[in-house]
Amino acid sequence: KFNRWLCRPLVRALTHTGVTPNMVTLVGLLLAIVGAYSFSPGTYVTSVVGALLFFASGLLDEVDGMLASTRFSDSAFGTWFEGTVDNFTYLLLFAGITIGLYRQRGPQEVLIGELALVGSILAVAVISWQRKRSTRPDRPNEYLGKMYRLLENDRGNWLSRTVRQVEFLLKKGVFIHYVLLFTVLGLLPILLRLAAFASNLTWILALYFSFRFFRRPRPD
């Protein structure tokens, strides 16, 4: 809600222009690329700049969805494009932080960064497979709502109940606040380790829930 409050003035300004949600998504990607590069020198100042750019990229991720909803222009391609850009920005971020920490602290940071990147790639692959199994090709935007309902209905299972309570922590709109806070406080090594753990836990849980919820053929 805080992010949407921040984004609302820009959404209002863009509503009656020719700017499309996909254009906003693309600008967010460009900011994420520059932000990831800003982390790579490994200095405090450039890292803070990178965190601010990644924060702005995350806000634009909110803007494109809000703009699409305002114009009733949601589409399967837009959902796919936004999700692909989101996934790519995570990889860029972890790569930039890893390079910067390597320059600061030495080669041990490379292993942590590799774990974060591999975990993120596996999470993207498993969730994409899960989305394909659980939604129609023309309705990929229904994926999150369907997963929330399944987890809520399965709350008798302690793992489903736990994931339903903490899943918001993995959303990009929340993660950008972590990135900014940890960077400003000089805690990027801790952030990278948490990302390595969370990304690998994500793909393991996604695989578990794929088999738990979608073992039967998808209904028409």
Side-chain angles (χ1 to χ4, degrees):
K1 290 182 180 179
F2 177 71
N3 289 355
R4 287 179 173 270
W5 176 75
L6 290 176
C7 296
R8 199 166 292 124
L10 180 57
V11 173
R12 278 198 289 261
L14 294 177
T15 298
H16 302 293
T17 70
V19 176
T20 67
N22 289 338
M23 291 179 184
V24 176
T25 302
L26 187 58
V27 173
L29 173 60
L30 295 177
L31 287 179
I33 292 172
V34 179
Y37 179 78
S38 298
F39 277 105
S40 63
T43 69
Y44 178 79
V45 173
T46 58
S47 295
V48 171
V49 170
L52 289 170
L53 289 170
F54 187 72
F55 188 87
S57 171
L59 291 183
L60 289 182
D61 185 45
E62 294 278 357
V63 170
D64 60 16
M66 293 170 68
L67 189 61
S69 297
T70 300
R71 293 178 174 174
F72 303 100
S73 59
D74 299 280
S75 67
F77 174 79
T79 300
W80 171 85
F81 184 53
E82 180 184 7
T84 300
V85 167
D86 279 352
N87 296 331
F88 190 50
T89 58
Y90 278 113
L91 299 179
L92 288 171
L93 175 72
F94 296 147
I97 291 176
T98 299
I99 294 170
L101 289 178
Y102 167 74
R103 290 175 172 169
Q104 280 184 20
R105 297 161 57 90
Q108 72 273 9
E109 300 299 322
V110 175
L111 176 60
I112 306 300
E114 288 174 346
L115 287 173
L117 287 167
V118 170
S120 298
I121 291 170
L122 288 173
V124 169
V126 174
I127 290 173
S128 297
W129 173 61
Q130 188 182 80
R131 184 193 298 270
K132 186 175 181 180
R133 296 182 70 190
S134 62
T135 62
R136 296 176 182 275
D138 60 335
R139 297 179 180 177
N141 56 303
E142 296 180 351
Y143 166 72
L144 284 179
K146 184 169 187 176
M147 285 302 302
Y148 293 160
R149 288 193 300 273
L150 288 169
L151 290 170
E152 191 68 27
N153 294 335
D154 194 44
R155 56 183 176 273
N157 177 284
W158 70 269
L159 195 53
S160 296
R161 187 168 61 252
T162 302
V163 169
R164 186 67 184 94
Q165 294 299 317
V166 303
E167 52 81 25
F168 73 94
L169 296 172
L170 299 177
K171 290 183 177 180
K172 186 177 180 181
V174 177
F175 187 65
I176 59 175
H177 294 270
Y178 299 151
V179 173
L180 185 57
L181 179 63
F182 276 70
T183 304
V184 170
L185 295 178
L187 299 176
L188 277 178
I190 297 177
L191 177 67
L192 189 62
R193 283 154 177 77
L194 289 174
F197 172 77
S199 61
N200 283 283
L201 182 62
T202 296
W203 74 260
I204 292 171
L205 288 175
L207 195 61
Y208 166 78
F209 286 119
S210 289
F211 286 105
R212 182 170 180 82
F213 294 147
F214 307 118
R215 281 180 294 185
R216 290 174 294 183
R218 186 178 61 197
D220 294 331

